[in-house]
Amino acid sequence: MSNTATLATLSGSDLAADPNWWRQAAVYQIYPRSFSDSNGDGLGDIKGITAKVPYLKDLGIDAVWLSPFYPSALADGGYDVDDYRDVDPKLGTLADFDEMSAALHAAGIKLIADIVPNHSSDRHVWFQEALASPRGSDARERYIFRDGKGEHGEIPPSDWESVFGGPAWERITEPDGTPGQWYMHIFAKEQPDLNWSNREIRDDFLKTLRFWSDRGVDGFRVDVAHALTKDLTEPLLSRLELGGTSDGADGFDDGSHPFWDRDEVHEIYVEWREVFNEYTPPRTAVAEAWVHASRRARYASPAGLGQAFNFDLLQADFAADEFREIITRNLAEATESGASSTWVFSNHDVVRHATRYGLPQGGGRHAKGQDGKGWLLAGAPAEDLDVELGLRRARAATLLMLALPGSAYLYQGEELGLQEVGDIPDAERQDPTFFRNKGVEIGRDGCRVPLPWATDGTSFGFGDGGAHLPQPAWFGRYAVTAQDGTEGSTLEFYRKALKLRRELQTSEELEWLETGHAGVLHFRRHGGWQSVTNFGHDAVELPAGEVLTSSGPLDGRLLPGNTTVWLR
Ligand code: NOJ
């Protein structure tokens, strides 16, 4: 399936109505609490985003994805939602939200909201009601409560671990004051898992999807889309029987895990799709589903969510063979599912790619923790970091990504070439990962530090007050004002590439061209647009063609190492 009209040929209102707008969109992720603070309380807010709409328009993105902005105690950066149909008063009001949505739409930018269906917060009225109600009550049936094992129910129902470390079960005190049942939480204990076999939960989320769609939300990013349905028939398998870990679905390719990636989860998304299709253009969705690659297409089905994140490039080393294999496989999968592919290098959960690529051997995997999966949460050891190389490779990788068919997801600050902040003092850390792992994993705060808009001043222009996570002194060098209009800056590089992408992008085909160099990838898109990346260190000769842009300086007709160029 191809998107036949070029973005450049669609006028503003046509683009707004185009049901395929998402297929090749450049989507910019905003982590609202760290983007821009309008009232000086140290926390980014909705009005702060509205004020930056001109910046977003200049950047040239097609859509904004907002990480959660709902009322929350911030036990997990807002992924612990108290109320799915409101705005956190710390961030603004529903009226502010409407104003932001109107401003984005007036600038031709679509709005994607994060929705968090696997768990609520422990402050949600449902959970408070469950705590106040007896065993077996309807209120408890909205969550996953179990009696404990052992003589007095003092042992958790299973030995499963939460993704953030520590047990996946928490014991409650019953209304009469006695030690009571346990509830399941795949993430922090402040994030009790909802019971999706309960019709009331399903109906309530359909209401939430309509609530935001009616307010002009164009699409949804679905948090932990692969965990909603569970089979907790006793006896519960032990962690060992599940393959030694309970925090990932990657090893399961048959839907047999008790809570990750079960086949029944798609029944939910078929219902969601019916709601999406009530709107014109239909609302879109993208699944965050860390599943076995062979099962990702199910989430991207047009009868379901329609698109799924592919984190393969994000986990790959900066290496031509890995990139080529991943791109080829994902494009084939996308064709099979009818979706378009998605690409991403950075988000609010991982070490920024400008930093990952500056670590020894320059890859995603080398930023992994010792257990082999901590790459998601690991910090960056400053002494091993080559900042210049990291940025150079990050720009090369980004320019390659922006030439690929499909949607490109960008994370706030990467357009500034921002590095991970590796040295946040323990006392100022916020990520539950850090606390639940007793500091073994330092967590994800380093990519969530508030953006530098100005070279100096209070919180580098983030707001008039401080910043809720400490900004290092070197942040000023990356500020928007330092890069705006500066030739060769990372910001100007992103702006140019995004503008060209809009003009050049047509159908979703990609053709590989052979280069004769193992470390060089060269491909062509429809209309003669080409991208060439030199993953090696030594310069290679540029193929013929007019140079449109490059991720770093060229040496005449030579393409230096760690550099991408677009040609026509
Ligand atoms: C995935 C989100 O991206 C992450 O930030 C969050 O901690 C978990 N889901 C739990 O909601």
Side-chain angles (χ1 to χ4, degrees):
M1 198 168 162
S2 300
N3 185 7
T4 43
T6 66
L7 288 173
T9 57
L10 289 172
S11 68
S13 57
D14 292 341
L15 188 58
D18 176 12
N20 283 322
W21 67 265
W22 52 277
R23 295 189 69 90
Q24 303 210 69
V27 184
Y28 181 86
Q29 182 190 355
I30 290 184
Y31 190 75
R33 292 171 177 86
S34 300
F35 186 66
S36 170
D37 172 18
S38 74
N39 62 1
D41 66 356
L43 214 53
D45 47 39
I46 302 288
K47 276 186 182 299
I49 299 171
T50 309
K52 298 296 185 195
V53 168
Y55 172 82
L56 297 168
K57 189 174 161 65
D58 279 356
L59 186 57
I61 44 131
D62 303 303
V64 150
W65 147 31
L66 285 195
S67 276
F69 48 82
Y70 312 105
S72 170
L74 306 184
D76 179 23
Y79 284 90
D80 45 323
V81 178
D82 297 350
D83 180 348
Y84 291 97
R85 296 192 284 270
D86 205 353
V87 170
D88 190 338
K90 298 188 284 299
L91 268 63
T93 62
L94 279 170
D96 295 341
F97 183 91
D98 293 342
E99 192 191 4
M100 173 196 66
S101 160
L104 286 167
H105 287 143
I109 299 171
K110 300 277 189 185
L111 175 54
I112 296 174
D114 215 313
I115 185 156
V116 190
N118 179 65
H119 41 267
S120 74
S121 81
D122 59 350
R123 306 199 313 175
H124 194 288
V125 355
W126 284 341
F127 194 72
Q128 288 304 313
E129 203 184 323
L131 290 181
S133 305
R135 276 184 167 77
S137 57
D138 288 351
R140 293 244 171 129
E141 278 305 303
R142 296 193 187 108
Y143 293 90
I144 301 172
F145 278 92
R146 282 280 186 288
D147 289 332
K149 294 181 176 163
E151 203 180 330
H152 306 288
E154 71 283 9
I155 301 170
S158 72
D159 65 353
W160 299 342
E161 280 181 357
S162 102
V163 172
F164 296 150
W169 297 92
E170 182 75 12
R171 194 169 198 189
I172 65 159
T173 302
E174 295 294 339
D176 65 5
T178 57
Q181 286 195 294
W182 298 73
Y183 66 87
M184 185 177 177
H185 59 91
I186 301 185
F187 294 91
K189 70 175 172 33
E190 294 85 358
Q191 294 167 296
D193 279 51
L194 287 161
N195 173 12
W196 276 86
S197 46
N198 184 335
R199 189 66 241 177
E200 187 190 352
I201 302 295
R202 295 194 182 208
D203 289 340
D204 197 79
F205 269 88
L206 298 180
K207 199 168 156 186
T208 296
L209 295 176
R210 289 195 181 94
F211 178 87
W212 294 110
S213 299
D214 290 342
R215 296 196 100 90
V217 164
D218 302 286
F220 297 90
R221 177 266 188 190
V222 184
D223 189 64
V224 212
H226 56 310
L228 276 46
T229 53
K230 298 172 173 89
D231 177 5
L232 299 189
T233 317
E234 302 281 350
L236 300 180
L237 294 182
S238 71
R239 207 162 74 221
L240 206 63
E241 288 165 304
L242 289 173
T245 172
S246 49
D247 77 352
D250 296 17
F252 285 77
D253 62 0
D254 60 358
S256 65
H257 193 282
F259 51 91
W260 294 122
D261 190 29
R262 297 191 59 80
D263 293 347
E264 313 87 83
V265 78
H266 300 290
E267 293 161 16
I268 295 170
Y269 301 134
V270 167
E271 290 189 359
W272 287 26
R273 174 52 56 188
E274 285 167 15
V275 172
F276 298 153
N277 289 348
E278 289 167 11
Y279 294 85
T280 312
R283 290 347 187 198
T284 66
V286 56
E288 186 223 18
W290 294 83
V291 297
H292 193 276
S294 64
R295 292 174 62 89
R296 195 185 294 139
R298 297 164 175 240
Y299 293 84
S301 155
L305 294 176
Q307 209 179 28
F309 274 117
N310 135 37
F311 296 111
D312 299 348
L313 279 186
L314 178 155
Q315 296 177 81
D317 282 338
F318 186 76
D321 52 347
E322 276 194 58
F323 270 54
R324 181 166 175 161
E325 186 279 319
I326 288 168
I327 293 165
T328 306
R329 180 163 44 77
N330 279 283
L331 290 178
E333 271 173 27
T335 307
E336 195 188 315
S337 68
S340 61
S341 221
T342 61
W343 311 104
V344 57
F345 286 113
S346 281
N347 64 31
H348 65 297
D349 288 332
V350 300
V351 174
R352 286 183 177 278
H353 67 296
T355 301
R356 293 201 311 268
Y357 289 146
L359 289 169
Q361 296 178 49
R365 275 199 285 280
H366 298 288
K368 274 184 178 177
Q370 288 184 334
D371 59 1
K373 61 180 162 45
W375 61 268
L376 181 70
L377 307 165
E383 61 277 12
D384 294 341
L385 185 64
D386 183 337
V387 172
E388 197 269 329
L389 178 67
L391 179 57
R392 196 181 163 89
R393 286 180 167 169
R395 287 170 53 145
T398 297
L399 195 60
L400 178 156
M401 170 176 83
L402 291 176
L404 292 173
S407 338
Y409 285 81
L410 309 170
Y411 177 53
Q412 68 178 39
E414 68 169 77
E415 78 279 20
L416 305 176
L418 214 54
Q419 294 278 331
E420 185 84 0
V421 182
D423 55 356
I424 297 172
D426 290 357
E428 303 207 46
R429 291 206 170 267
Q430 299 175 6
D431 187 354
T433 311
F434 176 77
F435 302 105
R436 293 190 63 89
N437 274 287
K438 303 189 171 51
V440 175
E441 297 271 13
I442 66 167
R444 302 161 293 179
D445 296 314
C447 63
R448 300 174 177 184
V449 175
L451 290 192
W453 294 91
T455 48
D456 49 23
T458 320
S459 64
F460 297 106
F462 167 65
D464 293 336
H468 68 99
L469 280 167
Q471 298 160 303
W474 50 262
F475 246 37
R477 285 209 302 278
Y478 292 85
V480 173
T481 53
Q483 301 195 37
D484 191 15
T486 306
E487 209 191 316
S489 72
T490 303
L491 178 58
E492 292 301 341
F493 156 71
Y494 266 74
R495 285 175 174 162
K496 183 168 184 195
L498 286 161
K499 182 167 183 285
L500 278 167
R501 172 183 158 95
R502 279 193 168 205
E503 289 165 10
L504 297 167
Q505 197 158 245
T506 54
S507 61
E508 291 173 26
E509 291 91 42
L510 173 150
E511 181 195 355
W512 290 110
L513 301 170
E514 296 314 323
T515 65
H517 296 280
V520 179
L521 290 189
H522 184 186
F523 60 83
R524 180 163 49 206
R525 298 283 306 274
H526 185 77
W529 169 29
Q530 297 166 46
S531 174
V532 192
T533 303
N534 181 359
F535 288 82
H537 291 286
D538 299 331
V540 296
E541 214 162 296
L542 267 188
E546 171 204 357
V547 172
L548 299 172
T549 190
S550 61
S551 64
L554 300 178
D555 182 5
R557 289 300 295 182
L558 288 181
L559 177 63
N562 302 305
T563 306
T564 294
V565 64
W566 285 359
L567 303 170
R568 181 173 45 189

